[in-house]
């Protein structure tokens, strides 16, 4: 009996502690058109710490990520399928407090950058979702011509069939 009570207390304490973890921070990408999503293959998402004095740094961070070269060290760099982003975005656990830059480069199947985006935001526990609008790159039109017509007609078909 005593063991059962102790076990119940341990389980209850675990549930209380487990319930106190902060919600993950979600980055939700906004594609300019459905077509831009259909031609996209993967998204590279890079997170940087930034200072208050660096609020205009987005263009150089986008160039660094797109070109794969630069001296700024990223906190996190991950590449995900665009289809994994359509249902709720990308989550970041334990993001911490402070100014962060999120840089995204969306590429096609040939690794050509189709879309880019950057946002600098304050992060903190239980912060609201971060929405990042993506913009077409200079290479977008040429890349679509090189790929040609797609077999997919909508996002559900692309992500369920993989075309």
């Amino acid at each position: 009996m005593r063991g059962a009570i102790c076990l119940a207390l341990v389980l209850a304490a675990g549930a209380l502690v487990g319930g106190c973890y902060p919600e993950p921070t979600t980055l939700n990408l906004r594609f300019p058109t459905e077509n831009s999503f259909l031609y996209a293959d993967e998204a590279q998402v890079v997170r940087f710490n930034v200072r208050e004095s660096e609020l205009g740094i987005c263009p150089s961070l986008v160039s660094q990520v797109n070109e794969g070269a630069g001296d700024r060290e990223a906190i996190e760099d991950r590449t995900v399928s665009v289809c994994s982003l359509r249902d709720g975005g990308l989550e970041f656990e334990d993001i911490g407090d402070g100014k962060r830059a999120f840089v995204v480069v969306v590429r096609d199947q040939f690794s050509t950058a189709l879309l880019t985006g950057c946002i600098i935001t304050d992060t903190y526990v239980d912060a609201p979702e971060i929405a990042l609008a993506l913009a077409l790159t200079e290479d977008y039109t040429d890349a679509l011509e090189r790929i040609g017509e797609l077999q997919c007609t909508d996002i559900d078909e692309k992500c369920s069939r993989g075309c």
Side-chain angles (χ1 to χ4, degrees):
M1 179 71 152
R2 184 181 218 174
I5 292 172
C6 287
L7 179 60
L9 289 174
V10 167
L11 291 175
L16 287 175
V17 171
C20 293
Y21 287 111
E23 291 292 317
T25 300
T26 302
L27 177 65
N28 204 327
L29 302 181
R30 307 281 191 232
F31 285 76
T33 64
E34 182 177 31
N35 209 38
S36 65
F37 186 94
L38 293 176
Y39 277 90
D41 187 50
E42 61 185 21
Q44 180 183 9
V45 181
V46 184
R47 184 168 49 111
F48 298 93
N49 282 330
V50 293
R51 294 183 297 277
E52 190 74 35
S53 62
E54 297 178 305
L55 296 182
I57 198 168
C58 269
S60 70
L61 292 177
V62 168
S63 291
Q64 175 179 327
V65 173
N66 191 28
E67 295 166 9
D71 57 353
R72 185 73 178 232
E73 188 172 335
I75 302 171
E76 183 174 359
D77 184 343
R78 59 176 128 157
T79 300
V80 297
S81 161
V82 292
C83 286
S84 70
L85 300 171
R86 71 182 183 141
D87 295 323
L90 188 61
E91 292 186 346
F92 294 86
E93 301 288 337
D94 194 24
I95 199 165
D97 294 343
K99 289 228 178 292
R100 307 284 186 265
F102 292 87
V103 177
V104 177
V105 176
V106 177
R107 294 183 174 88
D108 67 11
Q109 62 194 16
F110 302 109
S111 296
T112 302
L114 299 178
L115 308 160
T116 59
C118 178
I119 189 169
I120 295 176
T121 186
D122 285 313
T123 59
Y124 50 90
V125 172
D126 296 330
E129 171 185 289
I130 301 165
L132 174 55
L134 298 170
L136 304 177
T137 67
E138 293 176 359
D139 297 327
Y140 180 81
T141 303
D142 291 339
L144 269 56
E145 287 176 13
R146 183 177 60 248
I147 294 169
E149 190 173 331
L150 295 175
Q151 300 302 312
C152 298
T153 58
D154 62 35
I155 293 171
D156 288 333
E157 188 177 9
K158 172 188 175 71
C159 293
S160 63
R161 274 194 4 196
C163 51

